[in-house]
Amino acid sequence: MLGETEPQWLSEEVKTGTTIIAIEFNGGVVLGSDSRVSAGESVVNRVMNKLSPLHDKIYCALSGSAADAQTIAEAVNYQLDVHSMEIGEDPKVRSGATLVRNISYKYKEELSAHLIVAGWDKKDGGQVFATLNGLLTRQPFAVGGSGSSYVYGFVDAEYRKGMSKEECQQFVVNTLSLAMNRDGSSGGVAYLVTIDEHNTEEKVILGNDLPTFFDQ
Amino acid sequence: MAAAASMMPIFGHQISSKIDLVPDWSREEVSTGTTIMAVEYDGGVVIGADSRTTTGAYIANRVTDKLTRIHDRIYCCRSGSAADTQAIAEVVSYQLGFHSVELDEPPLVETAANLFRASCYRYREELMAGILVAGWDRRKGGQLYCVPIGGMLVRQPVAVGGSGSTYIYGFMDSNYKPGLNKDQCLELTASALSLAMERDGSSGGVIRLASISEDGVERRVILGDQLPRFSTH
């Protein structure tokens, strides 16, 4: 029809404007993410799980362009499977992070996704790696995505060394809740993954169970 | 603190540009890329700011005072273009002083905030100014009004502004609760500004704090080595 233009979101790139966080504790890691996928102003998926498995005990958190992030995660999942068969044992977290970094760096001009890789292996225990723009760095905790800007102050103030697993889970939930309240591109529910030597636990926290703050 | 203009005369076409002979920062506008914060408490209001003014990557003033007196018990925190905010603050100071003489009593904080909003809204296309207006008056006690870029006016119990403010929204949301006393507000503001100054390249220097109440204005400075410190830095 003449003069009728399609809605903006049909032509906008799908982004996981997001909040993601990963933190290590003695014996494992906790990863967390929100669940909103936006295309322009439209929310195209309000329940997407952005914590993607790379291996049994290695997960990555996706942010940036949804397509780019998913593709990197699936490619590395395949490469890690092959690698783990070759060495005959579970892969190291650093190996997974390096594979992600190699793709992010080689295609840094074409891709716009940032993955945080975290997991547990028997050599170094719980580890968190940031792979922004093709660097590789191990950190006690990492935040990423559009919502992370709003919580840098909070995580800087609240983080302490030597937190227990439950404290880390609470820290992740609080951070996600604060970011989701301020960032228009983050929202929905909170997904949590806790990885330690014995198991990998996935959890969902629904909107009304998230912590609230003084103006809510 | 005017922007240092490039001193080169320009003859017709700039084919061979001599612009590279002067540093980048002498051609940038001076901005208070900043972190400012204010918190209301029962009986007054606490305001705080960092002290960095930048022209591009050069720090033009590392000990700026962004807490500007508008009247005896009304101050404003300035963020955005240094020139724009200074000019607006001077205009409002004048208007408010005149109004107060006409009234023969101290002006209301809400009046000051409305004067700011009137200028910021009317000239919204030309200005880049984000201002927090805070003070004490007899009618409503301690009050804080936010006049962000664009010229909106809203009263809030706690507010942050400037480029560094994005990093402390989460900290502010989680640590502020209604009913804090003056010392708790000062501590909250100092901690929040310290966190923002650590993350935002355009904020830094010292922390300037002031508390405004019926008894007057109490100013203090927290120097670099006394800034609140956190385990990550």
Side-chain angles (χ1 to χ4, degrees):
Chain A
M1 253 145 272
L2 239 53
E4 188 180 292
T5 45
E6 58 176 24
Q8 219 187 10
W9 52 262
L10 277 178
S11 47
E12 292 267 358
E13 197 198 345
V14 174
K15 296 195 134 257
T16 44
T18 283
T19 311
I20 50 176
I21 173 171
I23 177 168
E24 77 178 60
F25 60 90
N26 187 4
V29 292
V30 180
L31 292 99
S33 82
D34 72 305
S35 67
R36 179 171 293 182
V37 181
S38 45
E41 274 128 34
S42 175
V43 177
V44 294
N45 187 343
R46 57 188 171 101
V47 287
M48 169 155 175
N49 190 341
K50 301 173 192 177
L51 304 177
S52 196
L54 297 179
H55 202 80
D56 297 335
K57 292 201 183 305
I58 308 176
Y59 269 64
C60 70
L62 315 174
S63 75
S65 152
D68 290 349
Q70 278 188 340
T71 307
I72 298 174
E74 282 166 24
V76 173
N77 185 352
Y78 163 75
Q79 291 171 358
L80 259 189
D81 269 347
V82 171
H83 171 67
S84 102
M85 275 186 259
E86 287 173 346
I87 58 175
E89 58 181 35
D90 283 341
K92 306 278 178 301
V93 185
R94 185 174 280 269
S95 308
T98 304
L99 290 170
V100 171
R101 186 273 313 265
N102 290 347
I103 301 179
S104 303
Y105 182 70
K106 185 166 180 190
Y107 299 103
K108 72 187 297 200
E109 304 303 326
E110 292 99 323
L111 296 174
S112 76
H114 168 38
L115 273 63
I116 297 178
V117 180
W120 181 93
D121 62 46
K122 64 179 194 278
K123 177 165 169 261
D124 287 317
Q127 300 147 71
V128 171
F129 290 89
T131 65
L132 184 64
N133 285 334
L135 62 69
L136 177 66
T137 169
R138 182 178 170 188
Q139 299 177 187
F141 71 90
V143 292
S146 56
S148 67
S149 316
Y150 302 101
V151 291
Y152 272 113
F154 176 78
V155 299
D156 280 346
E158 295 297 315
Y159 173 77
R160 286 155 292 119
K161 267 171 53 164
M163 291 199 281
S164 70
K165 176 166 90 162
E166 288 69 30
E167 285 173 321
C168 284
Q169 288 173 325
Q170 192 56 49
F171 178 82
V172 166
V173 166
N174 287 340
T175 309
L176 288 173
S177 182
L178 287 164
M180 282 155 65
N181 280 333
R182 285 289 181 179
D183 179 28
S185 315
S186 300
V189 305
Y191 287 102
L192 241 71
V193 167
T194 311
I195 308 174
D196 61 23
E197 179 178 0
H198 304 292
N199 56 11
T200 302
E201 184 200 333
E202 292 194 15
K203 206 158 76 142
V204 184
I205 303 179
L206 299 180
N208 56 337
D209 296 327
L210 284 170
T212 53
F213 302 94
F214 76 96
D215 51 357
Q216 290 165 279
Chain B
M1 266 199 297
S6 163
M7 294 306 235
M8 296 179 336
I10 301 190
F11 302 114
H13 236 326
Q14 264 180 296
I15 295 176
S16 80
S17 177
K18 285 215 212 118
I19 275 187
D20 299 324
L21 292 180
V22 280
D24 262 342
W25 51 260
S26 62
R27 277 170 281 128
E28 300 272 342
E29 195 198 334
V30 176
S31 105
T32 45
T34 281
T35 314
I36 51 177
M37 177 165 170
V39 191
E40 280 179 16
Y41 64 92
D42 183 18
V45 63
V46 163
I47 56 176
D50 74 304
S51 69
R52 184 172 288 184
T53 305
T54 50
T55 32
Y58 175 64
I59 299 174
N61 186 347
R62 61 188 171 106
V63 285
T64 323
D65 184 6
K66 302 177 191 177
L67 308 176
T68 304
R69 178 189 175 279
I70 305 295
H71 205 264
D72 291 341
R73 284 176 181 58
I74 305 178
Y75 269 64
C76 74
C77 307
R78 301 180 289 115
S79 74
S81 152
D84 288 350
T85 54
Q86 281 183 348
I88 299 170
E90 276 170 22
V91 163
V92 172
S93 278
Y94 163 76
Q95 292 171 330
L96 200 65
F98 192 86
H99 169 72
S100 168
V101 168
E102 287 182 315
L103 234 54
D104 198 24
E105 62 178 45
L108 299 176
V109 187
E110 191 173 351
T111 310
N114 269 292
L115 287 170
F116 269 106
R117 194 252 311 156
S119 294
C120 291
Y121 181 69
R122 177 175 288 250
Y123 300 105
R124 58 183 294 169
E125 303 302 329
E126 288 96 329
L127 295 172
M128 191 171 77
I131 296 175
L132 299 178
V133 185
W136 180 92
D137 63 44
R138 255 185 32 165
R139 199 182 284 186
K140 291 189 189 159
Q143 298 148 75
L144 164 61
Y145 295 89
C146 224
V147 183
I149 293 179
M152 168 183 97
L153 173 62
V154 65
R155 181 177 175 188
Q156 291 177 212
V158 60
V160 291
S163 57
S165 67
T166 47
Y167 304 106
I168 48 175
Y169 276 110
F171 179 79
M172 179 184 86
D173 284 343
S174 61
N175 283 65
Y176 171 79
K177 34 192 191 312
L180 296 173
N181 66 28
K182 180 174 91 164
D183 290 319
Q184 290 170 319
C185 288
L186 285 164
E187 204 189 304
L188 175 69
T189 307
S191 299
L193 290 173
S194 176
L195 289 162
M197 283 156 64
E198 195 63 26
R199 285 288 182 181
D200 179 29
S202 313
S203 302
V206 305
I207 294 181
R208 294 199 187 274
L209 291 170
S211 70
I212 309 172
S213 65
E214 181 175 8
D215 304 323
V217 178
E218 236 181 87
R219 298 201 59 154
R220 62 196 82 174
V221 182
I222 303 183
L223 300 178
D225 57 341
Q226 293 149 6
L227 288 174
R229 268 200 226 126
F230 301 89
S231 70
T232 50
H233 57 88

